[in-house]
């Protein structure tokens, strides 16, 4: 009987603990693609707009309160990472196969730049510009509808970041 009560208590505690878990505010996501026959992966956390449309970007937007503004972590939580099994050219940056952190310079709201940084494994706000492999312009566009949750995608020979009312793309090729 004692064993039964202990098991029942443990089961009730476990069920209660799982029932109280809230959904993750910015869930982990992965974008994968094949460039030149080799795998390319971007791992990021995807924040939502959550009713803040028109309040995220710009000089007084919420992102402007980040400590490294106008360099943005382009995601939430841990830094957005890029892993490539091939040597790539991203925009005008030569990127050897390996692991990197991605940031975006949003100082000009109409002309973003992708930053590929050599330092990995840090929290998203820990930007160190001395570790930049390079910086390249992105092509800006407006999505057909507001993008609620931040999305990185790798399609064909393009890497795209979309969130809120902005979409920024850069060409990528293997060499």
């Amino acid at each position: 009987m004692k064993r039964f009560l202990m098991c029942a208590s443990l089961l009730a505690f476990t069920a209660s603990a799982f029932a109280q878990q809230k959904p993750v505010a910015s869930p982990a996501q992965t974008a994968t693609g094949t460039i030149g026959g080799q795998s390319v992966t971007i791992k990021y956390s995807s924040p939502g707009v959550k009713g803040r449309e028109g309040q995220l970007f710009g000089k007084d937007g919420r992102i402007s309160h980040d400590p490294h503004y106008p360099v943005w972590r382009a995601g939430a939580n841990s830094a957005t990472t890029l892993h490539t099994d091939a040597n790539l050219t991203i925009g005008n940056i030569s990127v050897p196969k390996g692991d990197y952190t991605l940031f975006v310079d949003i100082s000009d709201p109409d002309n973003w730049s992708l930053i590929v940084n050599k330092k990995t494994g840090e929290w998203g706000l820990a930007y160190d510009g001395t570790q930049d492999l390079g910086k390249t312009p992105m092509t800006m566009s407006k999505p057909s509808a507001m993008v609620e949750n931040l999305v990185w995608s790798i399609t064909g020979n393009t890497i795209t970041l979309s969130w809120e009312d902005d979409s920024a793309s850069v060409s990528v090729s293997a060499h």
Side-chain angles (χ1 to χ4, degrees):
M1 182 68 168
K2 193 175 190 181
R3 187 176 291 173
F4 172 76
L5 289 174
M6 286 179 62
C7 288
S9 296
L10 181 60
L11 181 62
F13 174 78
T14 303
S16 174
F18 279 110
Q20 293 178 14
Q21 288 182 344
K22 296 179 182 177
V24 178
S26 299
Q29 300 290 329
T30 302
T32 58
T34 303
I35 308 291
Q38 299 294 315
S39 178
V40 177
T41 304
I42 298 173
K43 291 186 178 186
Y44 62 101
S45 291
S46 175
V49 173
K50 300 176 186 168
R52 303 174 293 183
E53 187 174 4
Q55 302 171 30
L56 297 175
F57 297 106
K59 187 179 136 205
D60 297 320
R62 290 181 179 260
I63 293 171
S64 70
H65 302 288
D66 288 350
H68 295 288
Y69 180 80
V71 173
W72 171 45
R73 61 179 156 174
N77 305 328
S78 294
T80 297
T81 62
L82 168 77
H83 173 80
T84 173
D85 290 336
N87 296 328
L88 301 176
T89 299
I90 300 175
N92 59 20
I93 309 169
S94 291
V95 181
K97 65 181 177 178
D99 296 301
Y100 301 91
T101 300
L102 299 179
F103 294 96
V104 177
D105 181 338
I106 59 172
S107 55
D108 179 347
D110 298 321
N111 297 292
W112 293 1
S113 295
L114 180 69
I115 300 168
V116 179
N117 190 279
K118 296 178 282 188
K119 187 174 179 196
T120 60
E122 68 274 0
W123 186 251
L125 295 176
Y127 174 68
D128 178 357
T130 67
Q131 295 295 310
D132 287 353
L133 183 64
K135 184 176 185 178
T136 189
M138 301 180 85
T139 301
M140 302 299 296
S141 63
K142 296 290 180 193
S144 58
M146 197 266 300
V147 179
E148 175 63 33
N149 292 90
L150 183 142
V151 178
W152 281 95
S153 60
I154 304 167
T155 308
N157 290 331
T158 305
I159 294 174
T160 303
L161 167 64
S162 299
W163 195 34
E164 194 197 28
D165 299 318
D166 293 290
S167 186
S169 300
V170 64
S171 64
V172 58
S173 61
H175 56 87

